[in-house]
Amino acid sequence: MNLLLRPLQNSNDPVWSVIISIIILLAGVSYYVVYIMRIAFAELDDGGPNQPERCESGPADSTPDTQD
């Protein structure tokens, strides 16, 4: 049991398993953020289904021209 729960020999040494775990966690989070951003920009470029149509003024405006 002493082999599994032995204290650190030098309390100023870093705990490498925690540092490696944080690096793996940050890599995973970065991957998912980049994935979500790529999907978002792809939807913007394609004019995704949740995007409203652009309304531009043209000859078929809903306001009639009234001439006196």
Side-chain angles (χ1 to χ4, degrees):
M1 192 62 146
N2 192 16
L3 186 62
L4 293 176
L5 299 174
R6 65 177 179 223
L8 292 174
Q9 292 178 358
N10 184 1
S11 62
N12 293 327
D13 284 342
V15 181
W16 286 105
S17 61
V18 174
I19 293 172
I20 292 170
S21 298
I22 290 174
I23 290 171
I24 291 171
L25 177 73
L26 288 175
V29 168
S30 300
Y31 172 78
Y32 281 117
V33 168
V34 169
Y35 177 74
I36 290 170
M37 294 303 287
R38 282 185 185 168
I39 290 174
F41 283 119
E43 278 189 14
L44 286 175
D45 290 339
D46 293 343
N50 296 330
Q51 296 251 335
E53 301 261 339
R54 286 180 51 181
C55 297
E56 297 179 6
S57 62
D61 282 341
S62 61
T63 56
D65 291 332
T66 56
Q67 295 178 353
D68 292 327

